[in-house]
Amino acid sequence: MNKTEARCADAFTPWPPEFEARYKAEGYWGDVLLGDIARGDPSRTAVVAGRDRVSYGELDRRVANTASGLLRLGVERGDRVIVQLLNTTGFVVTFLALARIGAIPVLALPAHRESEIRYLCELADARAYVCADTDGGFDYRAMARALPVEHVIVDGDAQELVALAELAGGTGGPAEIWNRPAPSDIGVLLLSGGTTGLPKLIPRTHRDYVYNLEASAEVCGVTAGTVYLAVLPVAHNFALACPGVLGVLAAGGTVVLASSGSPDEAFPLIERERVTACALVPPLAHLWLEAAPRTRNDLSSLALLQVGGARFAPERAARVPEVLGCALQQVFGMAEGLLNYTRLDDPPELVERTQGRPLSPADEIRIVDAKGAPVAPGEVGELLTRGPYTPRGYYRAPEHNRLAFTADGFYRTGDLVRRLPSGHLVVEGREKDQINRGGDKISAAELESHLLAHPAVHDAAVVAIPDPVVGERTCAYLIARRPHAKDRPAADEPAEPAPERPTLRQIRDFLRERGVAAYKFPDRIEYVASFPRTAVGKISKKDLVAAATR
Ligand code: OOB
C-alpha cells in the first residue's frame, strides 16, 4: 500500500466488491477522471464570469498550468486542499487542477467562517487552503493567516500570499503528472448539511461523481448547446454536479457564473448570454416569479429551470412555465448521493407535486417505519438508499457511520417521503434535527453547542419554524443561566453588568465573534424557564415548534 492509499484507508468505506463489480459491469462506473471532464470543442466558450470569457482550449491550458504550479508547491495525489472560492473562473480552474493531480478539494461554502474552516482543516488534515481575496467586506486572507495549513493560495489580490494566477504562470510549461489518481480514489470531499454537533465530509470518488454529473446531464437534456447559469454557490453539489457546472462542461456546453441569483443580476445575464438552464432554491424561484412579469429583460432563451434543495410549494411550481416561459424540473438531492429528478416528459401534475424519481436504475430505495420495517406502498416513512453514487460512509467518522448507515449499506437520509406508483417521491417532512432555511442546512446540534458556549446560556434547543418566504427559519429556545451566588459581585464591588438574558443581537454578535457562518444565526430567540419533555425525558422539539407558532 502506498502513502496515498494508507492515508485514505481510515477515511473511506469502500463499496463491497460485488457492488463494485456490478457497477462496473453495468457501465455506471468508468475510467474518466474528474480532472478530465471538460472536453468541449477547444474554440468554444466554456466559462463566462464577469469580463472573463474562457474557451475550452484556454480552460485546459489554465488547468494544466495550475496543476503544474500545485505540484511545484508540493501538493500531491491524496492531499486535501480546502477550497473556499466564489462563483469565479478560479473555482473551475482550481477544482479541475486539483482533481487532475489527484489532490482532493474540500468544498467549503463562501459563507463559512473561521469556526467551520478551522474545523475542516483539522478534520481533513489539509495541506493548503485556496480562498477568494475579499467578498462583501469580509477578508478571507486575514482568516487564512491563522489557519493550520502549509500553503494559502488566493484567487485575486494575494498580498504576501501565493496568487492563483502566479501559480499558473510558472516557467517550463505543464509538468508531467507521474502519479495520476485512480478512478476509485476520492475525487472531492463535499460538506454534509449536518445533523450532529460537528459537520461531516462526504467522500465522492472520481468514478461515482463522474457518473453523477454525466447521468444528470443526460436526464436534463444537456448538450453542447446548453448555456447554464450558475447562481447558487458552485461549491454546493446542486450547482456543481446536478448537472451543474461540471455536467455542462462534460457535455461541451457553456457555463455562466454569477455571484447572486437576484433578478437584477441574473435577468440581464440570461438576456446577454442567451441562457438556457439554471438551478435555484425555492426562495429564489419565488423572487423570479415575482420579478419576471415586470422585467424588461428577454428571458425567452430559458428552457429549463431546476428547483431543489428544499420544499417548493406546488402552487408556485405550477406558475413557473407560464410566468418564466420555461419547463420546471424539481430536484430532491443530497450531497450524500441520491438524486431525484422530475423528468422533462413527466405530466404537469408530477412535475408540480412531486420531487422526482431516482436518477439511476441502480438506485435502491427503501421507505421504512421507526422500527426499520418497510411501510405499505404509498405510506410515509424514512427514506433509505444505496446506489452507485451514494457513498457507504462519511469521511473519518466510523462512529457516526454506524448510526447513519444500515448494516447492509443503506444511507439513512432522515427525510420522510412517500412513493407514488410511478416511482416519484413526495417529501413529506424530516426526521433529522436540522433546519432547512431556504436550502441552507443548519444542524440544530451544532448551533446549540455554539449557544451553550455563551456564559449567560444554561441550555439551548434550536427548532425550525415555518416561514412563508424561506420555508423555515431558525428559532433558538434558551434557558438563561442564573448567576451563581459565588459569581455575584460582593456588595462593595462594582457590579459587572453580566448579560443575564442576551438579546438576539447580542447572541448573533457572539456567534459572529466565534467565527460561525451567518446563515446559521438564529432568526429569533425565546427564553423559557424549562424545556417541555417527551415521555422518555428528551426535549420535545415538537412542543417547542408548537409554542413558537402559537
Ligand atoms: C441538496 O443537498 P444538501 O446536501 O444540501 O441537502 C440535502 C437535504 C435532503 O436530505 C432534504 O432534506 C433536503 O435537503 N432537500 C429537499 C429537496 N432537496 C433537498 N427537501 C424537499 N424538497 C426538495 N426538492 O439540497 C441538493 C443536492 C443536490 C441537488 C439538489 C439539492
Side-chain angles (χ1 to χ4, degrees):
M1 192 186 274
N2 68 28
K3 201 164 114 206
T4 312
E5 285 160 347
R7 262 183 277 151
C8 286
D10 65 322
F12 182 62
T13 316
W15 279 265
E18 63 274 24
F19 284 87
E20 172 169 1
R22 179 182 155 210
Y23 295 152
K24 280 162 110 172
E26 294 179 3
Y28 300 112
W29 288 355
D31 293 328
V32 177
L33 298 167
L34 284 170
D36 300 330
I37 52 109
R39 293 168 293 205
D41 179 335
S43 65
R44 295 192 57 156
T45 305
V47 183
V48 180
R51 264 169 273 149
D52 213 9
R53 293 187 90 82
V54 183
S55 68
Y56 275 90
E58 172 62 15
L59 178 64
D60 194 58
R61 260 190 304 282
R62 287 197 203 177
V63 170
N65 289 335
T66 305
S68 302
L70 287 162
L71 289 172
R72 273 196 301 274
L73 265 190
V75 177
E76 55 182 49
R77 179 178 173 196
D79 285 344
R80 276 79 52 204
V81 175
I82 314 287
V83 176
Q84 189 178 27
L85 293 171
L86 310 173
N87 285 9
T88 56
T89 318
F91 177 95
V92 181
V93 170
T94 302
F95 181 91
L96 294 174
L98 287 168
R100 211 171 266 192
I101 63 171
I104 305 171
V106 180
L107 298 184
L109 296 172
H112 287 138
R113 292 296 177 258
E114 192 173 341
S115 157
E116 289 93 7
I117 301 296
R118 179 175 291 278
Y119 170 75
L120 291 178
C121 289
E122 284 161 8
L123 173 63
D125 192 11
R127 284 288 301 276
Y129 168 65
V130 189
C131 63
D133 47 12
T134 62
D135 183 42
F138 181 74
D139 193 335
Y140 291 94
R141 299 161 302 193
M143 175 169 77
R145 292 188 187 98
L147 295 173
V149 288
E150 249 173 85
H151 306 289
V152 175
I153 300 161
V154 181
D155 183 11
D157 174 5
Q159 298 174 335
E160 86 287 5
L161 302 161
V162 178
L164 184 62
E166 190 185 306
L167 203 63
T171 49
E176 178 74 26
I177 303 168
W178 57 271
N179 190 9
R180 281 174 66 80
S184 56
D185 282 3
I186 300 174
V188 54
L189 285 160
L190 298 178
L191 249 79
S192 127
T195 52
T196 62
L198 295 168
K200 298 281 174 289
L201 287 173
I202 303 153
R204 305 294 302 262
T205 59
H206 285 266
R207 60 190 177 189
D208 91 69
Y209 213 46
V210 167
Y211 172 63
N212 182 117
L213 64 95
E214 290 189 337
S216 295
E218 197 178 322
V219 151
C220 297
V222 171
T223 64
T226 297
V227 181
Y228 173 86
L229 175 64
V231 302
L232 303 176
V234 291
H236 189 274
N237 191 29
F238 191 11
L240 184 63
C242 307
V245 169
L246 299 179
V248 171
L249 291 178
T254 299
V255 170
V256 180
L257 299 168
S259 54
S260 98
S262 84
D264 293 350
E265 182 176 350
F267 287 3
L269 270 177
I270 294 175
E271 176 175 312
R272 191 185 87 196
E273 301 295 334
R274 306 298 295 156
V275 167
T276 64
C278 184
L280 298 178
V281 288
L284 276 178
H286 179 53
L287 269 184
W288 283 33
L289 285 171
E290 299 287 294
R294 287 176 276 111
T295 187
R296 290 187 184 177
N297 292 117
D298 174 10
L299 307 180
S300 63
S301 58
L302 197 61
L304 179 67
L305 187 69
Q306 300 181 289
V307 178
R311 183 177 181 275
F312 192 36
E315 311 73 56
R316 288 183 187 161
R319 290 173 54 216
V320 167
E322 159 203 336
V323 177
L324 292 164
C326 64
L328 169 69
Q329 177 183 60
Q330 292 211 44
V331 187
F332 162 39
M334 53 205 75
E336 283 83 355
L338 179 71
L339 302 172
N340 300 278
Y341 293 97
T342 57
R343 301 305 202 261
L344 305 183
D345 57 357
D346 276 344
E349 62 273 19
L350 285 180
V351 175
E352 289 161 18
R353 300 190 165 273
T354 81
Q355 282 62 59
R357 62 180 171 83
L359 170 64
S360 174
D363 282 321
E364 296 175 73
I365 298 291
R366 267 191 210 154
I367 302 174
V368 301
D369 64 18
K371 294 197 189 94
V375 298
E379 295 291 307
V380 176
E382 189 194 357
L383 171 65
L384 312 185
T385 185
R386 69 183 183 189
Y389 60 101
T390 301
R392 298 300 184 105
Y394 289 101
Y395 183 74
R396 294 189 174 166
E399 274 167 41
H400 182 64
N401 286 342
R402 279 190 279 278
L403 302 172
F405 293 81
T406 64
D408 57 352
F410 279 78
Y411 167 60
R412 301 181 202 271
T413 66
D415 291 313
L416 296 173
V417 304
R418 85 191 142 81
R419 184 165 36 184
L420 305 184
S422 62
H424 288 66
L425 302 177
V426 179
V427 181
E428 294 285 1
R430 185 174 61 228
E431 224 169 45
K432 51 192 167 191
D433 201 7
Q434 190 181 69
I435 294 92
N436 187 339
R437 198 177 180 284
D440 286 334
K441 313 303 183 313
I442 300 148
S443 152
E446 183 190 346
L447 178 53
E448 286 158 6
S449 73
H450 285 300
L451 292 167
L452 284 175
H454 192 291
V457 173
H458 170 68
D459 209 350
V462 171
V463 296
I465 49 177
D467 179 89
V469 181
V470 290
E472 295 176 10
R473 281 187 197 271
T474 309
C475 177
Y477 276 92
L478 303 176
I479 299 176
R481 184 185 294 279
R482 291 230 176 98
H484 203 270
K486 72 173 171 28
D487 296 339
R488 286 196 202 127
D492 55 347
E493 280 178 42
E496 183 69 28
E500 279 189 21
R501 288 186 160 206
T503 61
L504 177 60
R505 178 130 176 232
Q506 287 168 326
I507 289 286
R508 294 166 70 103
D509 287 345
F510 171 76
L511 294 170
R512 192 172 294 111
E513 285 279 293
R514 280 178 74 78
V516 177
Y519 70 85
K520 298 178 183 171
F521 294 0
D523 296 293
R524 173 174 157 190
I525 57 171
E526 293 290 338
Y527 283 96
V528 288
S530 63
F531 294 138
R533 300 274 164 180
T534 64
V536 292
K538 289 212 292 195
I539 296 174
S540 170
K541 293 205 165 176
K542 225 191 230 161
D543 288 335
L544 287 174
V545 175
T549 47
R550 250 203 301 272

